[in-house]
Amino acid sequence: MNINEIFGANVRKLRLEKGLSQEKLANLANIDRTYLPDIESGRRNLSLVVAEKIALALGVELKNLL
């Protein structure tokens, strides 16, 4: 697995544990809802800014997603 796939898998796992839809998480993170599926699948290279937004929306530290 590459870093994008690891990050995406961790986002998906935590999102599901918290009972959030992709759309709800995207809204909480203030990112486009069509962006999140590509992140979770590891198909996107995302910026640290977006990664931090997702971590904050999930209520975890960024390092927990890596």
Side-chain angles (χ1 to χ4, degrees):
M1 286 181 111
N2 67 39
I3 190 69
N4 293 331
E5 292 167 335
I6 292 167
F7 184 89
N10 288 334
V11 168
R12 183 174 193 274
K13 179 178 179 264
L14 285 170
R15 177 180 62 76
L16 292 174
E17 285 175 4
K18 293 182 181 283
L20 298 171
S21 67
Q22 287 180 333
E23 185 171 5
K24 179 66 175 175
L25 178 56
N27 286 337
L28 291 171
N30 198 29
I31 61 173
D32 191 275
R33 66 172 180 78
T34 62
Y35 192 37
L36 196 55
D38 286 341
I39 291 171
E40 287 187 357
S41 68
R43 292 187 304 248
R44 280 285 190 161
N45 286 321
L46 64 152
S47 70
L48 287 173
V49 171
V50 171
E52 182 179 42
K53 285 181 175 185
I54 292 169
L56 291 172
L58 287 169
V60 298
E61 293 184 33
L62 180 55
K63 68 180 181 180
N64 295 343
L65 297 176
L66 300 172

Short mmCIF file of all heavy atoms in Angstrom, two decimals:
data_model
loop_
_atom_site.label_atom_id
_atom_site.label_comp_id
_atom_site.label_asym_id
_atom_site.label_seq_id
_atom_site.Cartn_x
_atom_site.Cartn_y
_atom_site.Cartn_z
N MET A 1 0.84 -1.19 0.00
CA MET A 1 0.00 0.00 0.00
C MET A 1 0.88 1.25 0.00
O MET A 1 1.86 1.30 0.72
CB MET A 1 -0.87 0.06 1.25
CG MET A 1 -2.04 -0.88 1.29
SD MET A 1 -2.98 -0.67 2.82
CE MET A 1 -4.45 0.02 2.16
N ASN A 2 0.46 2.24 -0.76
CA ASN A 2 1.18 3.51 -0.74
C ASN A 2 0.52 4.44 0.28
O ASN A 2 -0.53 4.14 0.85
CB ASN A 2 1.27 4.13 -2.14
CG ASN A 2 -0.07 4.58 -2.68
OD1 ASN A 2 -0.92 5.12 -1.97
ND2 ASN A 2 -0.27 4.38 -3.97
N ILE A 3 1.13 5.58 0.52
CA ILE A 3 0.66 6.50 1.55
C ILE A 3 -0.77 6.99 1.28
O ILE A 3 -1.56 7.17 2.22
CB ILE A 3 1.64 7.69 1.74
CG1 ILE A 3 1.28 8.52 2.99
CG2 ILE A 3 1.67 8.58 0.51
CD1 ILE A 3 1.51 7.82 4.28
N ASN A 4 -1.12 7.19 0.02
CA ASN A 4 -2.49 7.62 -0.31
C ASN A 4 -3.51 6.55 0.04
O ASN A 4 -4.59 6.85 0.55
CB ASN A 4 -2.61 7.98 -1.80
CG ASN A 4 -1.82 9.20 -2.17
OD1 ASN A 4 -1.61 10.08 -1.36
ND2 ASN A 4 -1.38 9.26 -3.41
N GLU A 5 -3.16 5.30 -0.22
CA GLU A 5 -4.06 4.20 0.09
C GLU A 5 -4.20 4.01 1.61
O GLU A 5 -5.30 3.75 2.10
CB GLU A 5 -3.57 2.91 -0.57
CG GLU A 5 -3.68 2.95 -2.07
CD GLU A 5 -2.93 1.82 -2.76
OE1 GLU A 5 -1.96 1.29 -2.18
OE2 GLU A 5 -3.32 1.47 -3.89
N ILE A 6 -3.10 4.14 2.33
CA ILE A 6 -3.13 4.01 3.79
C ILE A 6 -3.99 5.12 4.39
O ILE A 6 -4.86 4.86 5.23
CB ILE A 6 -1.71 4.05 4.37
CG1 ILE A 6 -0.94 2.80 3.95
CG2 ILE A 6 -1.73 4.19 5.89
CD1 ILE A 6 0.55 2.87 4.20
N PHE A 7 -3.75 6.35 3.96
CA PHE A 7 -4.53 7.48 4.45
C PHE A 7 -6.01 7.27 4.16
O PHE A 7 -6.86 7.42 5.04
CB PHE A 7 -4.03 8.78 3.82
CG PHE A 7 -4.72 10.01 4.35
CD1 PHE A 7 -4.23 10.65 5.47
CD2 PHE A 7 -5.86 10.51 3.74
CE1 PHE A 7 -4.87 11.79 5.98
CE2 PHE A 7 -6.51 11.63 4.23
CZ PHE A 7 -6.01 12.27 5.36
N GLY A 8 -6.32 6.92 2.94
CA GLY A 8 -7.72 6.72 2.54
C GLY A 8 -8.40 5.62 3.33
O GLY A 8 -9.56 5.77 3.74
N ALA A 9 -7.70 4.52 3.54
CA ALA A 9 -8.27 3.41 4.31
C ALA A 9 -8.54 3.82 5.75
O ALA A 9 -9.57 3.47 6.33
CB ALA A 9 -7.34 2.20 4.26
N ASN A 10 -7.64 4.60 6.32
CA ASN A 10 -7.83 5.06 7.69
C ASN A 10 -8.99 6.05 7.80
O ASN A 10 -9.76 6.02 8.76
CB ASN A 10 -6.54 5.67 8.24
CG ASN A 10 -5.49 4.62 8.52
OD1 ASN A 10 -5.81 3.47 8.77
ND2 ASN A 10 -4.24 5.02 8.45
N VAL A 11 -9.12 6.92 6.81
CA VAL A 11 -10.24 7.86 6.79
C VAL A 11 -11.55 7.08 6.71
O VAL A 11 -12.49 7.33 7.49
CB VAL A 11 -10.14 8.85 5.60
CG1 VAL A 11 -11.45 9.61 5.41
CG2 VAL A 11 -8.99 9.81 5.81
N ARG A 12 -11.62 6.13 5.82
CA ARG A 12 -12.84 5.34 5.64
C ARG A 12 -13.20 4.59 6.92
O ARG A 12 -14.36 4.59 7.37
CB ARG A 12 -12.69 4.36 4.49
CG ARG A 12 -13.96 3.58 4.21
CD ARG A 12 -13.81 2.71 2.94
NE ARG A 12 -15.08 2.22 2.51
CZ ARG A 12 -15.63 1.09 2.97
NH1 ARG A 12 -15.01 0.36 3.87
NH2 ARG A 12 -16.82 0.70 2.52
N LYS A 13 -12.20 3.95 7.53
CA LYS A 13 -12.43 3.19 8.76
C LYS A 13 -12.99 4.08 9.87
O LYS A 13 -14.00 3.74 10.50
CB LYS A 13 -11.11 2.55 9.21
CG LYS A 13 -11.21 1.76 10.49
CD LYS A 13 -9.85 1.13 10.82
CE LYS A 13 -9.93 0.35 12.11
NZ LYS A 13 -9.49 1.07 13.26
N LEU A 14 -12.36 5.21 10.09
CA LEU A 14 -12.82 6.12 11.14
C LEU A 14 -14.18 6.73 10.81
O LEU A 14 -15.04 6.91 11.69
CB LEU A 14 -11.80 7.23 11.38
CG LEU A 14 -10.56 6.80 12.15
CD1 LEU A 14 -9.51 7.90 12.13
CD2 LEU A 14 -10.93 6.46 13.59
N ARG A 15 -14.40 7.04 9.54
CA ARG A 15 -15.69 7.60 9.12
C ARG A 15 -16.81 6.62 9.42
O ARG A 15 -17.85 6.99 9.99
CB ARG A 15 -15.66 7.94 7.62
CG ARG A 15 -17.00 8.44 7.11
CD ARG A 15 -16.95 8.76 5.63
NE ARG A 15 -16.67 7.64 4.77
CZ ARG A 15 -17.55 6.67 4.46
NH1 ARG A 15 -18.78 6.68 4.94
NH2 ARG A 15 -17.21 5.69 3.64
N LEU A 16 -16.59 5.36 9.08
CA LEU A 16 -17.61 4.34 9.32
C LEU A 16 -17.81 4.09 10.81
O LEU A 16 -18.95 3.91 11.27
CB LEU A 16 -17.24 3.04 8.60
CG LEU A 16 -17.28 3.12 7.07
CD1 LEU A 16 -16.76 1.83 6.46
CD2 LEU A 16 -18.69 3.44 6.58
N GLU A 17 -16.72 4.08 11.58
CA GLU A 17 -16.82 3.90 13.03
C GLU A 17 -17.66 5.01 13.67
O GLU A 17 -18.37 4.78 14.64
CB GLU A 17 -15.44 3.88 13.67
CG GLU A 17 -14.67 2.61 13.46
CD GLU A 17 -13.26 2.65 14.01
OE1 GLU A 17 -12.87 3.67 14.65
OE2 GLU A 17 -12.53 1.67 13.81
N LYS A 18 -17.57 6.20 13.11
CA LYS A 18 -18.31 7.34 13.64
C LYS A 18 -19.70 7.47 13.04
O LYS A 18 -20.46 8.37 13.39
CB LYS A 18 -17.52 8.63 13.43
CG LYS A 18 -16.24 8.65 14.26
CD LYS A 18 -15.47 9.92 14.09
CE LYS A 18 -14.21 9.91 14.90
NZ LYS A 18 -14.41 10.16 16.32
N GLY A 19 -20.03 6.56 12.12
CA GLY A 19 -21.37 6.56 11.52
C GLY A 19 -21.63 7.71 10.59
O GLY A 19 -22.78 8.14 10.45
N LEU A 20 -20.59 8.19 9.94
CA LEU A 20 -20.73 9.33 9.03
C LEU A 20 -20.79 8.86 7.58
O LEU A 20 -20.07 7.95 7.18
CB LEU A 20 -19.53 10.28 9.17
CG LEU A 20 -19.32 10.94 10.52
CD1 LEU A 20 -17.99 11.67 10.54
CD2 LEU A 20 -20.46 11.89 10.84
N SER A 21 -21.64 9.50 6.80
CA SER A 21 -21.63 9.27 5.36
C SER A 21 -20.47 10.05 4.76
O SER A 21 -19.92 10.96 5.40
CB SER A 21 -22.95 9.75 4.74
OG SER A 21 -23.05 11.16 4.83
N GLN A 22 -20.12 9.72 3.53
CA GLN A 22 -19.08 10.49 2.85
C GLN A 22 -19.51 11.94 2.71
O GLN A 22 -18.71 12.85 2.89
CB GLN A 22 -18.77 9.89 1.48
CG GLN A 22 -18.00 8.60 1.56
CD GLN A 22 -17.70 8.02 0.18
OE1 GLN A 22 -18.41 8.26 -0.79
NE2 GLN A 22 -16.62 7.26 0.11
N GLU A 23 -20.77 12.15 2.40
CA GLU A 23 -21.27 13.51 2.23
C GLU A 23 -21.19 14.30 3.54
O GLU A 23 -20.77 15.46 3.54
CB GLU A 23 -22.70 13.49 1.71
CG GLU A 23 -23.24 14.86 1.39
CD GLU A 23 -24.58 14.83 0.68
OE1 GLU A 23 -25.16 13.74 0.51
OE2 GLU A 23 -25.05 15.91 0.31
N LYS A 24 -21.56 13.68 4.65
CA LYS A 24 -21.52 14.36 5.94
C LYS A 24 -20.08 14.71 6.32
O LYS A 24 -19.80 15.83 6.76
CB LYS A 24 -22.16 13.48 7.02
CG LYS A 24 -22.13 14.08 8.40
CD LYS A 24 -22.98 15.32 8.50
CE LYS A 24 -23.02 15.83 9.93
NZ LYS A 24 -23.72 17.09 10.06
N LEU A 25 -19.15 13.77 6.13
CA LEU A 25 -17.75 14.06 6.45
C LEU A 25 -17.21 15.17 5.56
O LEU A 25 -16.50 16.07 6.03
CB LEU A 25 -16.88 12.80 6.33
CG LEU A 25 -15.40 13.00 6.58
CD1 LEU A 25 -15.13 13.62 7.95
CD2 LEU A 25 -14.64 11.69 6.43
N ALA A 26 -17.53 15.12 4.29
CA ALA A 26 -17.08 16.17 3.37
C ALA A 26 -17.60 17.54 3.83
O ALA A 26 -16.85 18.53 3.82
CB ALA A 26 -17.54 15.87 1.95
N ASN A 27 -18.84 17.59 4.26
CA ASN A 27 -19.41 18.85 4.76
C ASN A 27 -18.69 19.32 6.02
O ASN A 27 -18.37 20.50 6.15
CB ASN A 27 -20.90 18.71 5.03
CG ASN A 27 -21.73 18.66 3.76
OD1 ASN A 27 -21.31 19.14 2.72
ND2 ASN A 27 -22.90 18.07 3.86
N LEU A 28 -18.43 18.40 6.94
CA LEU A 28 -17.73 18.75 8.18
C LEU A 28 -16.31 19.25 7.90
O LEU A 28 -15.81 20.14 8.59
CB LEU A 28 -17.67 17.55 9.12
CG LEU A 28 -18.99 17.11 9.75
CD1 LEU A 28 -18.80 15.78 10.48
CD2 LEU A 28 -19.51 18.18 10.70
N ALA A 29 -15.67 18.66 6.88
CA ALA A 29 -14.30 19.03 6.54
C ALA A 29 -14.24 20.22 5.58
O ALA A 29 -13.16 20.70 5.24
CB ALA A 29 -13.59 17.83 5.92
N ASN A 30 -15.41 20.64 5.11
CA ASN A 30 -15.48 21.75 4.16
C ASN A 30 -14.71 21.45 2.87
O ASN A 30 -13.93 22.28 2.39
CB ASN A 30 -15.02 23.06 4.79
CG ASN A 30 -15.47 24.26 4.01
OD1 ASN A 30 -16.51 24.23 3.35
ND2 ASN A 30 -14.69 25.33 4.06
N ILE A 31 -14.93 20.23 2.35
CA ILE A 31 -14.37 19.85 1.06
C ILE A 31 -15.52 19.37 0.17
O ILE A 31 -16.59 19.03 0.66
CB ILE A 31 -13.28 18.76 1.17
CG1 ILE A 31 -13.84 17.46 1.77
CG2 ILE A 31 -12.09 19.26 1.97
CD1 ILE A 31 -12.87 16.30 1.77
N ASP A 32 -15.30 19.34 -1.13
CA ASP A 32 -16.33 18.91 -2.05
C ASP A 32 -16.66 17.43 -1.82
O ASP A 32 -15.76 16.61 -1.66
CB ASP A 32 -15.86 19.13 -3.50
CG ASP A 32 -16.98 18.95 -4.48
OD1 ASP A 32 -17.24 17.79 -4.87
OD2 ASP A 32 -17.62 19.95 -4.85
N ARG A 33 -17.94 17.10 -1.82
CA ARG A 33 -18.36 15.73 -1.54
C ARG A 33 -17.87 14.73 -2.58
O ARG A 33 -17.72 13.55 -2.29
CB ARG A 33 -19.87 15.64 -1.40
CG ARG A 33 -20.61 15.92 -2.67
CD ARG A 33 -22.10 15.63 -2.55
NE ARG A 33 -22.76 15.91 -3.80
CZ ARG A 33 -22.73 15.12 -4.87
NH1 ARG A 33 -22.08 13.98 -4.83
NH2 ARG A 33 -23.35 15.47 -5.97
N THR A 34 -17.58 15.20 -3.80
CA THR A 34 -17.09 14.29 -4.84
C THR A 34 -15.61 13.98 -4.69
O THR A 34 -15.09 13.09 -5.35
CB THR A 34 -17.35 14.87 -6.24
OG1 THR A 34 -16.62 16.10 -6.38
CG2 THR A 34 -18.83 15.12 -6.47
N TYR A 35 -14.94 14.71 -3.81
CA TYR A 35 -13.49 14.55 -3.58
C TYR A 35 -13.20 13.38 -2.63
O TYR A 35 -12.22 12.67 -2.77
CB TYR A 35 -12.97 15.87 -3.01
CG TYR A 35 -11.49 16.07 -2.93
CD1 TYR A 35 -10.62 15.60 -3.90
CD2 TYR A 35 -10.94 16.78 -1.87
CE1 TYR A 35 -9.26 15.82 -3.82
CE2 TYR A 35 -9.58 17.02 -1.77
CZ TYR A 35 -8.75 16.53 -2.75
OH TYR A 35 -7.40 16.76 -2.66
N LEU A 36 -14.08 13.17 -1.66
CA LEU A 36 -13.84 12.19 -0.61
C LEU A 36 -13.75 10.74 -1.11
O LEU A 36 -12.86 10.01 -0.67
CB LEU A 36 -14.89 12.32 0.49
CG LEU A 36 -14.55 11.62 1.80
CD1 LEU A 36 -13.20 12.06 2.37
CD2 LEU A 36 -15.64 11.85 2.81
N PRO A 37 -14.60 10.28 -2.02
CA PRO A 37 -14.45 8.90 -2.50
C PRO A 37 -13.07 8.63 -3.12
O PRO A 37 -12.50 7.55 -2.93
CB PRO A 37 -15.56 8.75 -3.54
CG PRO A 37 -16.57 9.76 -3.15
CD PRO A 37 -15.79 10.92 -2.57
N ASP A 38 -12.54 9.60 -3.84
CA ASP A 38 -11.21 9.44 -4.43
C ASP A 38 -10.12 9.41 -3.36
O ASP A 38 -9.12 8.71 -3.51
CB ASP A 38 -10.91 10.55 -5.44
CG ASP A 38 -11.69 10.38 -6.74
OD1 ASP A 38 -12.17 9.27 -7.01
OD2 ASP A 38 -11.80 11.36 -7.48
N ILE A 39 -10.31 10.16 -2.29
CA ILE A 39 -9.35 10.14 -1.18
C ILE A 39 -9.38 8.77 -0.51
O ILE A 39 -8.35 8.14 -0.28
CB ILE A 39 -9.66 11.26 -0.16
CG1 ILE A 39 -9.37 12.63 -0.78
CG2 ILE A 39 -8.85 11.06 1.13
CD1 ILE A 39 -9.85 13.79 0.07
N GLU A 40 -10.59 8.30 -0.21
CA GLU A 40 -10.72 7.01 0.48
C GLU A 40 -10.19 5.84 -0.34
O GLU A 40 -9.73 4.86 0.21
CB GLU A 40 -12.18 6.76 0.88
CG GLU A 40 -12.63 7.63 2.02
CD GLU A 40 -14.02 7.27 2.53
OE1 GLU A 40 -14.67 6.36 1.97
OE2 GLU A 40 -14.45 7.90 3.52
N SER A 41 -10.26 5.95 -1.64
CA SER A 41 -9.77 4.87 -2.50
C SER A 41 -8.27 4.97 -2.78
O SER A 41 -7.69 4.09 -3.40
CB SER A 41 -10.53 4.85 -3.82
OG SER A 41 -10.21 6.00 -4.58
N GLY A 42 -7.66 6.07 -2.34
CA GLY A 42 -6.23 6.25 -2.57
C GLY A 42 -5.88 6.78 -3.94
O GLY A 42 -4.72 6.77 -4.34
N ARG A 43 -6.88 7.24 -4.69
CA ARG A 43 -6.64 7.74 -6.04
C ARG A 43 -6.25 9.21 -6.08
O ARG A 43 -5.91 9.73 -7.14
CB ARG A 43 -7.88 7.55 -6.91
CG ARG A 43 -8.21 6.10 -7.20
CD ARG A 43 -9.34 5.97 -8.19
NE ARG A 43 -10.54 6.67 -7.75
CZ ARG A 43 -11.67 6.09 -7.39
NH1 ARG A 43 -11.76 4.77 -7.42
NH2 ARG A 43 -12.71 6.80 -7.01
N ARG A 44 -6.30 9.89 -4.95
CA ARG A 44 -6.01 11.33 -4.90
C ARG A 44 -4.73 11.62 -4.14
O ARG A 44 -4.45 11.02 -3.11
CB ARG A 44 -7.12 12.07 -4.17
CG ARG A 44 -8.32 12.34 -4.98
CD ARG A 44 -8.04 13.47 -5.93
NE ARG A 44 -9.30 13.86 -6.54
CZ ARG A 44 -9.51 14.99 -7.12
NH1 ARG A 44 -8.57 15.88 -7.20
NH2 ARG A 44 -10.67 15.26 -7.65
N ASN A 45 -3.96 12.55 -4.67
CA ASN A 45 -2.86 13.14 -3.91
C ASN A 45 -3.43 14.40 -3.28
O ASN A 45 -3.77 15.34 -3.98
CB ASN A 45 -1.69 13.52 -4.83
CG ASN A 45 -0.92 12.34 -5.29
OD1 ASN A 45 -0.69 11.41 -4.52
ND2 ASN A 45 -0.52 12.33 -6.55
N LEU A 46 -3.57 14.38 -1.97
CA LEU A 46 -4.18 15.53 -1.33
C LEU A 46 -3.14 16.37 -0.61
O LEU A 46 -2.06 15.89 -0.28
CB LEU A 46 -5.30 15.09 -0.37
CG LEU A 46 -4.91 14.26 0.82
CD1 LEU A 46 -5.91 14.50 1.93
CD2 LEU A 46 -4.95 12.79 0.45
N SER A 47 -3.48 17.61 -0.40
CA SER A 47 -2.58 18.53 0.29
C SER A 47 -2.65 18.28 1.79
O SER A 47 -3.60 17.68 2.31
CB SER A 47 -2.95 19.97 -0.02
OG SER A 47 -4.18 20.31 0.62
N LEU A 48 -1.65 18.79 2.48
CA LEU A 48 -1.66 18.70 3.94
C LEU A 48 -2.82 19.50 4.52
O LEU A 48 -3.38 19.12 5.56
CB LEU A 48 -0.33 19.21 4.51
CG LEU A 48 0.85 18.28 4.31
CD1 LEU A 48 2.13 18.97 4.77
CD2 LEU A 48 0.65 16.99 5.07
N VAL A 49 -3.21 20.56 3.88
CA VAL A 49 -4.33 21.38 4.34
C VAL A 49 -5.61 20.54 4.33
O VAL A 49 -6.38 20.52 5.31
CB VAL A 49 -4.49 22.65 3.49
CG1 VAL A 49 -5.76 23.39 3.83
CG2 VAL A 49 -3.28 23.55 3.66
N VAL A 50 -5.86 19.84 3.24
CA VAL A 50 -7.06 19.00 3.14
C VAL A 50 -6.97 17.84 4.13
O VAL A 50 -7.96 17.50 4.79
CB VAL A 50 -7.26 18.49 1.69
CG1 VAL A 50 -8.37 17.45 1.62
CG2 VAL A 50 -7.55 19.65 0.76
N ALA A 51 -5.80 17.24 4.26
CA ALA A 51 -5.62 16.14 5.21
C ALA A 51 -5.94 16.60 6.63
O ALA A 51 -6.61 15.90 7.39
CB ALA A 51 -4.20 15.60 5.13
N GLU A 52 -5.50 17.80 6.98
CA GLU A 52 -5.77 18.33 8.31
C GLU A 52 -7.27 18.63 8.50
O GLU A 52 -7.83 18.37 9.57
CB GLU A 52 -4.97 19.61 8.55
CG GLU A 52 -5.18 20.17 9.96
CD GLU A 52 -4.37 21.42 10.21
OE1 GLU A 52 -4.30 22.29 9.33
OE2 GLU A 52 -3.82 21.51 11.31
N LYS A 53 -7.92 19.13 7.47
CA LYS A 53 -9.36 19.38 7.55
C LYS A 53 -10.12 18.09 7.84
O LYS A 53 -11.05 18.06 8.65
CB LYS A 53 -9.88 19.98 6.24
CG LYS A 53 -9.53 21.42 6.02
CD LYS A 53 -10.13 21.86 4.70
CE LYS A 53 -9.93 23.33 4.45
NZ LYS A 53 -10.62 23.77 3.22
N ILE A 54 -9.72 17.02 7.17
CA ILE A 54 -10.38 15.73 7.37
C ILE A 54 -10.12 15.21 8.78
O ILE A 54 -11.03 14.73 9.45
CB ILE A 54 -9.91 14.71 6.31
CG1 ILE A 54 -10.43 15.14 4.92
CG2 ILE A 54 -10.38 13.30 6.65
CD1 ILE A 54 -9.84 14.38 3.77
N ALA A 55 -8.88 15.32 9.24
CA ALA A 55 -8.55 14.88 10.60
C ALA A 55 -9.37 15.64 11.63
O ALA A 55 -9.94 15.04 12.55
CB ALA A 55 -7.05 15.05 10.86
N LEU A 56 -9.46 16.95 11.49
CA LEU A 56 -10.24 17.76 12.42
C LEU A 56 -11.72 17.37 12.39
O LEU A 56 -12.37 17.30 13.43
CB LEU A 56 -10.07 19.25 12.12
CG LEU A 56 -8.69 19.84 12.42
CD1 LEU A 56 -8.58 21.26 11.89
CD2 LEU A 56 -8.40 19.79 13.91
N ALA A 57 -12.25 17.13 11.20
CA ALA A 57 -13.65 16.74 11.06
C ALA A 57 -13.92 15.39 11.72
O ALA A 57 -15.02 15.15 12.23
CB ALA A 57 -14.04 16.71 9.59
N LEU A 58 -12.92 14.52 11.71
CA LEU A 58 -13.06 13.20 12.34
C LEU A 58 -12.72 13.25 13.83
O LEU A 58 -12.93 12.26 14.54
CB LEU A 58 -12.16 12.18 11.65
CG LEU A 58 -12.60 11.73 10.26
CD1 LEU A 58 -11.49 10.95 9.58
CD2 LEU A 58 -13.88 10.91 10.35
N GLY A 59 -12.18 14.37 14.28
CA GLY A 59 -11.83 14.52 15.70
C GLY A 59 -10.60 13.75 16.12
O GLY A 59 -10.50 13.29 17.26
N VAL A 60 -9.66 13.60 15.17
CA VAL A 60 -8.41 12.91 15.48
C VAL A 60 -7.23 13.77 15.05
O VAL A 60 -7.38 14.73 14.30
CB VAL A 60 -8.32 11.54 14.75
CG1 VAL A 60 -9.44 10.60 15.20
CG2 VAL A 60 -8.34 11.70 13.25
N GLU A 61 -6.05 13.41 15.53
CA GLU A 61 -4.84 14.09 15.08
C GLU A 61 -4.47 13.56 13.70
O GLU A 61 -4.71 12.37 13.40
CB GLU A 61 -3.70 13.85 16.07
CG GLU A 61 -3.92 14.49 17.41
CD GLU A 61 -2.73 14.31 18.33
OE1 GLU A 61 -1.58 14.27 17.83
OE2 GLU A 61 -2.95 14.21 19.54
N LEU A 62 -3.88 14.41 12.90
CA LEU A 62 -3.49 14.02 11.56
C LEU A 62 -2.63 12.77 11.55
O LEU A 62 -2.81 11.88 10.71
CB LEU A 62 -2.78 15.17 10.85
CG LEU A 62 -2.29 14.93 9.43
CD1 LEU A 62 -3.43 14.47 8.53
CD2 LEU A 62 -1.64 16.18 8.87
N LYS A 63 -1.73 12.64 12.51
CA LYS A 63 -0.83 11.47 12.55
C LYS A 63 -1.59 10.16 12.66
O LYS A 63 -1.12 9.13 12.21
CB LYS A 63 0.18 11.61 13.69
CG LYS A 63 -0.43 11.51 15.07
CD LYS A 63 0.63 11.66 16.14
CE LYS A 63 -0.01 11.53 17.52
NZ LYS A 63 1.00 11.68 18.56
N ASN A 64 -2.81 10.20 13.20
CA ASN A 64 -3.61 8.98 13.33
C ASN A 64 -4.15 8.48 11.98
O ASN A 64 -4.58 7.33 11.88
CB ASN A 64 -4.77 9.19 14.30
CG ASN A 64 -4.31 9.44 15.71
OD1 ASN A 64 -3.18 9.16 16.06
ND2 ASN A 64 -5.18 10.00 16.51
N LEU A 65 -4.14 9.33 11.00
CA LEU A 65 -4.60 8.93 9.67
C LEU A 65 -3.46 8.42 8.79
O LEU A 65 -3.71 7.87 7.73
CB LEU A 65 -5.31 10.10 8.98
CG LEU A 65 -6.58 10.57 9.68
CD1 LEU A 65 -7.14 11.79 8.96
CD2 LEU A 65 -7.61 9.46 9.74
N LEU A 66 -2.24 8.62 9.25
CA LEU A 66 -1.09 8.18 8.47
C LEU A 66 -0.62 6.84 8.97
O LEU A 66 0.03 6.10 8.36
CB LEU A 66 0.04 9.20 8.57
CG LEU A 66 -0.33 10.61 8.06
CD1 LEU A 66 0.79 11.58 8.38
CD2 LEU A 66 -0.60 10.58 6.57
#
